Amino acid sequence: MELGISTFVETTPDVVTGKTMSHAERLREVVEEIVLADQVGLDVYGVGEHHRPDFAASSPAVVMAAAAGLTSNIRLTSAVMILSSADPVRVYQDFATLDGLSNGRAEIMVGRGSFIESFPLFGCDLKDYESLFEEKLDLLMKLQQSEYVTWEGKHRPAIHNLPVYPRPVQDPLPVWIASAGSPESAVRTGALGLPFALAMIGPVRPLDFAAQVKLYKEAAAAAGHDYAKLPVAAHAHGFVAGSTPKAVEQFFPSTYARTNVRAVEKSLPPYTRADYDAAVSPEGALFVGDPRTVADKIIQLRKEVGITRFLLHVPHGTMAHSEVMESIRLLGTEVAPLVREEIARWEREV
């Protein structure tokens, strides 16, 4: 059971001062957060790709490369790369470079993306949303499998027996597919035999994702893959503090502000304190509380959904760097041991 952190490197206005920190300052903070996550024994850190003013990480591989030489054990992954609007060759080269710098700790997590700013930026047509992803994933798989590549598609010039460098330390370089939980994504990923990551974000019930994991494993088995060896990850917003009331109150202001920005953008009803309180309940999608509370929620997810990796997405919106660092520290030093001990005991019994 792996535990870690994910971030979109947000630079939203501070809910107290109204000020917005620079992208440069937030990027430097994230490197410090990755280093701390490594020091406290977390397994993985993920950085998501975005192309808008309230996110600073348009190039996750570069952000993580800054931390690669300062860390020893933590795995470094995108969370996610928007493959549909990217060049798979460049994506592969960037993460192969990161793999070399980190001595074999890089991973690529790809998805279609719920934000669409990258499509016009890189000259991609949204009407090709589905076909772009399918075609570029096919090319990425070819790059993963062979040094010399021959490939042809509709949306990119063909490649005729050309080598791609640098080669990664890991062979193959891990590639995950991330999804918000659609049945079609679960089946498609299982058929490919690729690791699967589920974004448990918004007004959802995390335990309901068991249906998607079941579809994923059935599709993997039908395609001849050993689904027992395929990892499944969950990504959810959350925050850890010394007590549950403290965690709930510290995480609310930025979550409320950030969620209502998205509500306006998507023409959704306003986000309320009642929505938040429901989400921090045992059945809700926010993993917020003291170490025992958060650990219990992750353990339940492992037992009932079947995840093998959990990424706590913190912060949501802009929070004090000291609060984020403390949450990371508690996740590594207190939550992770509780989860690992309980899961190891449960697996011995079953």
Side-chain angles (χ1 to χ4, degrees):
M1 182 70 188
E2 296 180 317
L3 287 98
I5 297 290
S6 63
T7 181
F8 292 159
V9 197
E10 295 178 47
T11 56
T12 54
D14 186 280
V15 293
V16 176
T17 67
K19 294 181 179 179
T20 301
M21 73 171 63
S22 69
H23 289 162
E25 182 180 357
R26 183 68 191 115
L27 286 165
R28 292 192 295 270
E29 285 186 352
V30 164
V31 173
E32 293 178 8
E33 291 165 14
I34 299 172
V35 170
L36 177 62
D38 182 60
Q39 291 171 345
V40 299
L42 290 172
D43 300 293
V44 60
Y45 196 104
V47 176
E49 175 194 1
H50 289 282
H51 301 270
R52 45 185 288 160
D54 45 357
F55 298 106
S58 62
S59 182
V62 175
V63 178
M64 292 182 290
L70 303 174
T71 55
S72 301
N73 299 303
I74 197 162
R75 298 192 66 76
L76 303 167
T77 183
S78 51
V80 299
M81 289 297 300
I82 306 170
L83 188 62
S84 305
S85 57
D87 181 343
V89 175
R90 175 54 74 187
V91 170
Y92 187 85
Q93 289 175 323
D94 286 347
F95 281 85
T97 301
L98 176 63
D99 203 48
L101 291 169
S102 64
N103 195 27
R105 292 184 280 126
E107 299 179 0
I108 309 173
M109 186 186 297
V110 300
R112 289 165 174 77
S114 60
F115 292 78
I116 60 174
E117 290 82 5
S118 64
F119 284 79
L121 185 63
F122 297 114
C124 298
D125 195 326
L126 274 172
K127 70 179 177 60
D128 299 322
Y129 186 80
E130 292 292 337
S131 63
L132 278 166
F133 182 79
E134 298 302 328
E135 180 176 296
K136 292 186 177 186
L137 180 61
D138 180 64
L139 174 54
L140 185 62
M141 294 297 94
K142 293 287 194 304
L143 295 161
Q144 183 197 43
Q145 294 160 9
S146 176
E147 178 177 340
Y148 281 78
V149 175
T150 295
W151 177 90
E152 187 172 350
K154 288 171 45 181
H155 300 292
R156 187 198 186 283
I159 302 173
H160 301 290
N161 195 36
L162 295 177
V164 176
Y165 301 113
R167 303 311 300 169
V169 175
Q170 300 174 92
D171 184 17
L173 183 62
V175 174
W176 292 64
I177 294 183
S179 168
S182 74
E184 295 80 10
S185 292
V187 171
R188 186 183 300 111
T189 306
L192 292 170
L194 293 174
F196 192 35
L198 292 160
M200 300 179 178
I201 294 174
V204 299
R205 288 169 47 92
L207 298 187
D208 290 344
F209 283 81
Q212 278 71 41
V213 174
K214 183 174 183 290
L215 286 172
Y216 165 70
K217 292 183 175 181
E218 288 175 347
H225 303 293
D226 185 354
Y227 67 80
K229 295 180 179 179
L230 293 175
V232 178
H235 153 96
H237 291 122
F239 185 75
V240 191
S243 71
T244 292
K246 181 180 180 180
V248 169
E249 293 309 313
Q250 282 186 314
F251 199 58
F252 174 70
S254 62
T255 298
Y256 174 80
R258 180 65 199 149
T259 307
N260 271 312
V261 168
R262 291 293 289 149
V264 170
E265 290 177 349
K266 292 192 169 187
S267 300
L268 297 173
Y271 187 72
T272 68
R273 179 62 194 239
D275 295 326
Y276 177 78
D277 289 339
V280 299
S281 72
E283 298 78 26
L286 294 180
F287 286 66
V288 177
D290 61 29
R292 181 75 261 179
T293 297
V294 174
D296 285 345
K297 211 164 177 177
I298 296 170
I299 290 165
Q300 186 181 33
L301 202 58
R302 170 71 179 93
K303 291 180 177 180
E304 299 193 31
V305 178
I307 65 164
T308 57
R309 172 185 284 185
F310 178 81
L311 298 177
L312 185 75
H313 187 102
V314 61
H316 186 203
T318 294
M319 297 184 70
H321 183 47
S322 59
E323 293 177 352
V324 176
M325 294 287 273
E326 178 64 3
S327 185
I328 292 171
R329 185 189 70 80
L330 289 171
L331 184 68
T333 61
E334 298 193 27
V335 176
L338 290 171
V339 172
R340 290 166 182 154
E341 181 180 353
E342 170 62 18
I343 294 303
R345 183 192 62 77
W346 174 69
E347 288 180 342
R348 287 194 299 269
E349 292 176 353
V350 298

